[in-house]
Amino acid sequence: MFFASDNAGPALPGVMQRVTDANAGYAMPYGADEIMDEVRAGLRAAFEAPEAAVYLVATGTAANVLALACYAQPWQTVFCSEVAHVQEDECNAPEFYSGGAKLSLVAGGDKMTPAALRARIAAEEVRGVHGPQRGPVSITQVTERGQVYTLDELGALTTVAKDFGLPVHLDGARFANALVALGCTPAEMTWRAGVDVVSFGGTKNGCLGVEAVVFFDAEKAWEFELRRKRGAHLFSKHRYLSAQMAGYLQDGAWLDAARSANANCARLATGLEARGAEFVHPPQANMIFARFPRGVHQRLHEAGARYYVWEGALEGADRDEMLTARLVCDWSITAEQIDLFLSHFDK
């Protein structure tokens, strides 16, 4: 009954097999391995972007901040939601790797609206040399609260960015979960919608630890290579990153894993709704924010369930007080685990 994070689950068998296969003999280092050629071709094909520049790093933070640094000068600001991962969970890494660019938060929670984004962008570059200059827009898909931007919503945000001549970064730590939820293609959710660079997540969806950075305009490719090296994120034994991503892409494993995670989440959400849980945000991918009584939370934790109590304290005498849970499903959670979790609501 482990719903704490999709970072906590096992790697996909195909990913593990490719890593094992790569562990034979010798391979050129620093991304010159033959497996990386396969990865590059696979991602270009998936995104229908034959000229895209494709790179690998080991963490989502590295993918996000190195990509943003290529578009954000130290005197600029990055526009993002109030709860974006680059704002709440990366220890000021965007500021560090960009040499000091700040973040400007767009009001409205996890999902930015075009009106709010336009107002926030317009509020900058009004103090001349004394204030921050406008920089890239960063959109999180799936959002940090489990919501998914529709293609129209993405397009509306990128239109605002382009009206100001600003590039757009997509934080796709849960890219595959959003993609299968929308039933669209990678191209439709990125460059066709106006995205310039995407952090294509693998770790949360069945890899050991690998993320891709895909530039749809290769103009930034060399700068990214320099920033990756200078930032200590260029792996010498790069083939083990390549092997993970190759296994992830092979035979559509990344899509199958996301479908499983989303289906697990839907099963859990249906069961929670039937038992009276209140959804804070509509579950749209593989993450749920739901409110139910402290007594149920306590019973679940005593039974061995693992998830985060997002709002409120698990300890307390008032067993009827409503607390918010964050529940995340990965590809490997079984129907039996989900049903066991739900059974504790009925005791």
Side-chain angles (χ1 to χ4, degrees):
M1 297 188 293
F2 205 103
F3 300 95
S5 174
D6 40 9
N7 283 321
L12 292 162
V15 169
M16 295 299 294
Q17 186 60 54
R18 287 302 298 264
V19 172
T20 299
D21 294 345
N23 196 41
Y26 296 83
M28 293 300 289
Y30 303 113
D33 53 280
E34 292 183 1
I35 308 173
M36 187 58 197
D37 293 335
E38 176 187 342
V39 168
R40 194 176 294 111
L43 282 172
R44 285 173 173 169
F47 282 95
E48 303 172 59
E51 303 301 320
V54 177
Y55 300 101
L56 300 181
V57 292
T59 71
T61 295
N64 284 336
V65 302
L66 290 171
L68 282 171
C70 290
Y71 289 102
Q73 296 295 327
W75 50 84
Q76 292 181 325
T77 187
V78 177
F79 299 95
C80 63
S81 83
E82 295 172 311
V83 297
H85 202 271
V86 293
Q87 156 65 10
E88 290 201 331
D89 294 290
E90 290 179 349
C91 196
N92 295 359
E95 295 92 329
F96 178 78
Y97 277 88
S98 64
K102 66 175 290 184
L103 302 182
S104 289
L105 307 184
V106 179
D110 63 317
K111 228 179 178 187
M112 295 186 291
T113 66
L117 177 60
R118 186 178 295 277
R120 192 68 187 87
I121 295 173
E124 299 298 352
E125 287 194 16
V126 296
R127 296 183 298 283
V129 73
H130 301 286
Q133 305 302 293
R134 296 163 183 158
V137 173
S138 182
I139 303 171
T140 309
Q141 177 79 316
V142 177
T143 76
E144 292 298 322
R145 297 297 181 265
Q147 299 191 87
V148 177
Y149 288 98
T150 67
L151 296 183
D152 286 343
E153 288 171 332
L154 283 175
L157 292 175
T158 62
T159 295
V160 172
K162 301 310 179 185
D163 285 347
F164 289 92
L166 304 180
V168 177
H169 161 256
L170 188 74
D171 176 353
R174 295 183 174 93
F175 185 95
N177 302 98
L179 192 77
V180 300
L182 292 177
C184 64
T185 69
E188 289 171 333
M189 204 169 77
T190 54
W191 62 268
R192 286 182 181 160
V195 171
D196 296 283
V197 61
V198 60
S199 302
F200 176 78
T203 306
K204 294 181 187 297
N205 195 40
C207 291
L208 293 167
V210 67
E211 317 283 313
V213 179
V214 182
F215 290 91
F216 299 108
D217 180 354
E219 176 189 353
K220 295 293 184 181
W222 179 236
E223 180 179 347
F224 183 87
E225 291 195 39
L226 295 173
R227 288 186 178 277
R228 181 175 59 164
K229 176 61 177 177
R230 185 172 181 267
H233 284 284
L234 176 59
F235 271 42
S236 54
K237 291 191 174 182
H238 188 282
R239 59 171 150 167
Y240 298 105
L241 293 183
S242 303
Q244 290 181 65
M245 187 57 70
Y248 187 55
L249 297 173
Q250 189 171 323
D251 299 325
W254 64 291
L255 295 171
D256 290 340
R259 290 188 189 101
S260 293
N262 286 13
N264 290 337
C265 184
R267 184 186 186 97
L268 178 59
T270 298
L272 289 172
E273 184 176 29
R275 288 160 176 81
E278 302 171 0
F279 295 128
V280 180
H281 307 280
Q284 295 177 333
N286 70 319
M287 194 185 320
I288 296 171
F289 287 82
R291 300 176 72 243
F292 44 89
R294 175 183 280 119
V296 178
H297 285 278
Q298 292 173 339
R299 189 161 64 240
L300 285 164
H301 278 79
E302 288 167 2
R306 293 294 177 265
Y307 62 90
Y308 289 111
V309 177
W310 204 253
E311 294 177 350
L314 181 62
E315 297 77 18
D318 184 358
R319 294 177 61 82
D320 293 325
E321 182 180 353
M322 300 292 278
L323 310 179
T324 301
R326 190 193 81 157
L327 302 153
V328 186
C329 294
D330 82 324
W331 68 273
S332 70
I333 293 173
T334 66
E336 290 75 19
Q337 289 174 300
I338 294 169
D339 293 345
L340 178 60
F341 180 90
L342 293 170
S343 71
H344 290 283
F345 273 74
D346 304 324
K347 294 181 179 179

